């Protein structure tokens, strides 16, 4: 590990996995995030919801530096993210990300998809990487598909492989960016079950999702965003039964109608 990149920038509170303080982000002249404050502690399950274009994806992409913020501070697992940081890989080793469109390597088998990052980023020997890959393919209940290529799997299976691939890096936090919204309806349940079981095992998770059943069952906190702001947050019971803000009420009435 290149410790020089984060020297003098380590956060003392080890319980905080993510901390965003007054974070703002622009795309050109357009302000996508405004004054975001959010702390995610070890073991917490956070669900972020809100209308399309409200900044949910942008926010979680800032947490693994797929996007850069321009104002405020973000700390991830004790490392401060900033424009002069030299080692973004060090951050990404700590942060697993699962995307809407799986983003598996199409030319690699399921097994190699899972072995690649531990070998390339952690320098793990092949045998150990194979063991880890099988451990997490079993975790998502798909070890029998190890020798197939992504295109030979269903969408739900591919997404479970994508989850296993992230877990192989044994990240401090998993970010999910609408992981079920590209799936056919009959495949949503298997992915949500996998996510629910990870949550039950104590994984720290930040999930952007419209799956409000999942939010109710699993989240410690639900965060509602609109137009780049966190408008409201609360525990699922309060959030769903007694939303405080008009925009939250409108959003929930639209999404829960279906
Ligand atoms: P959400 O995830 O809530 O749907 P996004 O974070 O994807 O919202 O987008 C927030 C806003 O930022 C939207 O208005 C979107 O059009 C804009 N945006 C997102 N990515 C880019 C980009 N790369 N360049 C310019 N604008 C972007």
């Amino acid at each position: 590990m290149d410790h020089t990149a984060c020297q003098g920038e380590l956060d003392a509170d080890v319980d905080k996995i993510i901390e965003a303080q007054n974070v703002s982000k622009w795309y050109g002249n357009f302000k996508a995030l405004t004054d975001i404050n959010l702390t995610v502690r070890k073991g917490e399950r956070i669900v972020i919801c809100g209308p399309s274009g409200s900044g949910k994806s942008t926010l979680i992409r800032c947490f693994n530096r797929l996007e850069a913020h321009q104002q405020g501070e973000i700390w991830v697992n004790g490392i401060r993210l900033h424009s002069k940081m030299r080692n973004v890989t060090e951050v990404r080793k700590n942060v697993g990300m699962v995307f809407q469109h799986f983003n598996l390597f199409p030319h690699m088998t399921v097994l190699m998809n899972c072995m690649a990052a531990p070998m390339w980023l952690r320098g793990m020997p092949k045998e150990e990487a194979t063991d880890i890959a099988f451990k997490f393919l079993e975790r998502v209940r798909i070890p029998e598909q190890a020798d197939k290529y992504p295109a030979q799997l269903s969408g739900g299976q591919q997404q479970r492989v994508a989850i296993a691939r992230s877990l192989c890096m044994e990240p401090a936090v998993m970010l999910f960016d609408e992981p079920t919204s590209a799936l056919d309806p009959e495949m949503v349940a298997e992915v949500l079950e996998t996510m629910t079981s990870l949550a039950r095992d104590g994984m720290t998770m930040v999930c952007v999702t419209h799956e409000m059943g999942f939010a109710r069952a699993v989240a410690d906190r639900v965060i509602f965003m609109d137009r780049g702001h966190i408008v409201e947050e609360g525990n699922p019971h309060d959030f769903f039964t007694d939303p405080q803000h008009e925009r939250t009420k409108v959003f929930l009435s639209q999404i829960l109608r279906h």
Side-chain angles (χ1 to χ4, degrees), residues 9 18 23-25 27 33 57-76 79-97 99 173 175:
E9 294 169 350
I18 294 175
V23 169
S24 295
K25 169 170 182 65
Y27 292 111
L33 297 176
S57 179
T58 299
L59 178 60
I60 65 166
R61 290 166 70 87
C62 285
F63 294 154
N64 69 350
R65 203 69 188 167
L66 280 175
E67 295 289 352
H69 61 289
Q70 284 88 34
Q71 248 176 35
E73 301 243 316
I74 300 178
W75 297 76
V76 176
I79 302 174
R80 186 168 73 92
L81 311 190
H82 59 93
S83 56
K84 296 196 184 78
M85 66 190 310
R86 284 188 288 151
N87 200 345
V88 176
T89 307
E90 206 49 54
V91 176
R92 305 229 173 110
K93 283 184 193 170
N94 288 297
V95 184
M97 183 134 185
F99 301 89
V173 56
L175 308 176

Side-chain angles (χ1 to χ4, degrees), residues 116-148:
M119 285 170 61
W120 298 343
L121 298 181
R122 287 207 193 283
M124 192 179 278
K126 195 173 172 189
E127 272 185 15
E128 200 182 330
T130 309
D131 289 347
I132 296 247
F134 271 110
K135 173 178 163 187
F136 288 109
L137 287 171
E138 271 157 27
R139 183 73 190 72
V140 303
R141 293 184 290 109
I142 209 164
E144 71 285 356
Q145 309 291 350
D147 295 326
K148 289 199 180 156

Side-chain angles (χ1 to χ4, degrees), residues 27 30 32 50-59 67 177-178 208:
Y27 292 111
F30 175 73
S52 181
S54 56
K56 307 178 297 294
S57 179
T58 299
L59 178 60
E67 295 289 352
D177 193 359
E178 300 202 30
V208 172

Side-chain angles (χ1 to χ4, degrees), residues 227-253:
R227 293 177 227 166
H229 295 260
I230 291 181
V231 174
E232 179 161 357
E233 63 177 280
N235 69 58
H237 179 267
D238 295 348
F239 182 84
F240 288 111
T241 56
D242 188 23
Q244 298 298 302
H245 291 262
E246 198 50 40
R247 279 188 276 171
T248 319
K249 290 178 191 170
V250 170
F251 174 76
L252 287 176
S253 72

Side-chain angles (χ1 to χ4, degrees), residues 190-201:
E190 67 187 78
V191 171
L192 290 178
E193 270 167 31
T194 303
M195 291 170 64
T196 302
S197 123
L198 286 182
R200 301 254 142 90
D201 280 358

Side-chain angles (χ1 to χ4, degrees), residues 4-17:
T4 53
C6 40
Q7 256 174 21
E9 294 169 350
L10 291 172
D11 193 341
D13 188 343
V14 289
D15 218 30
K16 286 182 192 168
I17 302 294

